[in-house]
Amino acid sequence: AALMAFVFGAIFEAQSVSPWLVFWVGTAGFALDAVDGWLARRSGLHSKFGARFDMEIDAALGAVLTLWLLASGTTGPEILVLGFMRYAFVAAGWWFPALRAELPDSFRRKAICVVQIGALILLVLPLAPAALIFPVVLMASTALIYSFAVDIAWLVRCGK
């Protein structure tokens, strides 16, 4: 969360903060996210709260990296899908109560989250070729939209 907060601050100085710094801080946050979950499960210290907190920090990291990419001029508004799909889903739940139900644990959801954050970190990498940007955004966004569509269909079907 602290590393994500640092990148959030970098959004406001996107033109003067080194993309390398944002890349390494984002990469460290992404790597530590994997380690802390593994350690919590291994030591028996995992909880529903911890899992939810982890999910929300992942979503916030995605949003912050997305905003940094947009503010730095690396990508256009198409990147917003990767950073704000979770928040659009939560907002939709205000109007469609079926979307507020709890979802079962899903390897697909976790794997696509890794693809999403990994794609954002790849896009932050200063050495990423410009020709790679749109295909990476398209691939990761397609996977994310598919994942949310599967979950929405399941929630609607089970909410009847």
Side-chain angles (χ1 to χ4, degrees):
L3 295 173
M4 182 270 306
F6 172 83
V7 177
F8 178 74
I11 293 167
F12 300 99
E13 292 295 328
Q15 300 306 320
S16 60
V17 172
S18 168
W20 282 108
L21 182 59
V22 174
F23 170 76
W24 286 115
V25 170
T27 300
F30 187 44
L32 289 172
D33 178 46
V35 171
D36 74 348
W38 179 80
L39 286 172
R41 286 185 297 280
R42 185 168 169 88
S43 61
L45 296 174
H46 58 93
S47 67
K48 279 190 172 193
F49 172 80
R52 181 60 178 254
F53 182 76
D54 184 63
M55 179 184 67
E56 296 302 341
I57 293 300
D58 290 345
L61 178 60
V64 166
L65 288 171
T66 294
L67 290 173
W68 190 87
L69 285 162
L70 195 58
S72 69
T74 304
T75 64
E78 67 277 359
I79 195 72
L80 295 172
V81 170
L82 288 177
F84 292 92
M85 184 69 91
R86 162 92 180 123
Y87 301 109
F89 175 77
V90 169
W94 296 337
W95 289 281
F96 304 104
L99 300 183
R100 288 186 245 153
E102 193 168 330
L103 289 162
D105 210 21
S106 165
F107 178 76
R108 169 194 38 85
R109 203 175 303 117
K110 290 175 186 176
I112 290 177
C113 179
V114 169
V115 168
Q116 170 198 11
I117 303 298
L120 288 166
I121 288 173
L122 174 65
L123 295 172
V124 170
L125 177 66
L127 299 176
L132 193 63
I133 293 172
F134 186 74
V136 168
V137 171
L138 181 63
M139 181 268 314
S141 295
T142 300
L144 193 61
I145 291 167
Y146 164 76
S147 183
F148 273 94
V150 168
D151 288 342
I152 290 168
W154 186 87
L155 288 168
V156 168
R157 191 172 51 250
C158 293
K160 289 185 176 182

